[in-house]
Amino acid sequence: MSLIRTAIPADVPAILGMIHDLAVYEKEPDAVKNTEEMLHASLFGDNPQVFVHVVDSPEAGEPIAGFALWFLNYSTWEGKLGIHLEDLYVRPEARGGGHGKALLRTLAGIAVERGYARVEWSVLDWNTPAIDFYKSLGAESMDGWHVYRLDGAALGSFGGTAAAASEARA
């Protein structure tokens, strides 16, 4: 049985370690720029906007067996908040024990309890174990939608142009 709880500051090193493990799994081992200090500030600073639930796992020899990191989103059509699940990760040695399902059930419970419209997330198209797992829970793919992102140089270039235009109007 999984014991799910809200993360505490002492969990930050383990969570960050699993973020690195997830990046390796997703074939982006050098992409993580997050640090313990950054993660701590995001989760436990003055106005946290990011939340984490963890699986306690004393039997696995690690402080926690997995985590779900999430934040709020908003549906203009529903007029309600929702949960965006950024990362769901369970250590390989702890998989198959229902931990991922328990983490997702916790988030679904929060959404229901608070009257949120949805819980949603993205999954890489090649990650068939995750896709099969999500489908087994009743989750549906958002066919017809593509995820787009502005980041790095494109964000700086485009956002810098907008900021400059805004300053010129002022």
Side-chain angles (χ1 to χ4, degrees):
M1 176 163 181
S2 302
L3 175 59
I4 308 299
R5 63 173 174 76
T6 303
I8 59 173
D11 296 325
V12 167
I15 294 167
L16 186 60
M18 287 186 286
I19 289 170
H20 282 278
D21 293 345
L22 179 59
V24 169
Y25 177 77
E26 292 184 351
K27 303 174 184 168
E28 294 283 345
D30 300 320
V32 178
K33 296 174 179 63
N34 207 348
T35 66
E36 287 185 20
E37 294 77 21
M38 293 165 65
L39 186 58
H40 186 276
S42 295
L43 297 174
F44 305 106
D46 292 339
N47 186 23
Q49 301 294 309
V50 180
F51 311 95
V52 175
H53 283 79
V54 299
V55 180
D56 267 332
S57 180
E59 71 279 354
E62 297 284 347
I64 54 178
F67 74 97
L69 186 142
W70 58 279
F71 53 87
L72 295 177
N73 59 21
Y74 182 76
S75 169
T76 56
W77 289 10
E78 296 283 335
K80 295 181 178 183
L81 292 171
I83 290 175
H84 178 83
L85 174 61
E86 179 66 17
D87 286 331
L88 175 69
Y89 184 79
V90 175
R91 294 181 191 278
E93 64 274 14
R95 292 182 188 154
H99 302 312
K101 187 174 187 177
L103 284 163
L104 276 171
R105 180 165 286 152
T106 297
L107 297 188
I110 290 169
V112 169
E113 177 183 298
R114 297 179 186 178
Y116 296 166
R118 61 177 66 119
V119 176
E120 62 187 9
W121 59 92
S122 299
V123 61
L124 292 165
D125 58 4
W126 56 260
N127 193 349
T128 53
I131 292 168
D132 292 344
F133 168 65
Y134 298 142
K135 285 181 179 179
S136 78
L137 303 176
E140 297 178 3
S141 172
M142 296 291 296
D143 292 335
W145 291 84
H146 295 276
V147 176
Y148 285 85
R149 174 180 294 166
L150 273 173
D151 65 1
L155 176 63
S157 175
F158 189 65
T161 302
S166 177
E167 288 174 12
R169 280 182 264 152

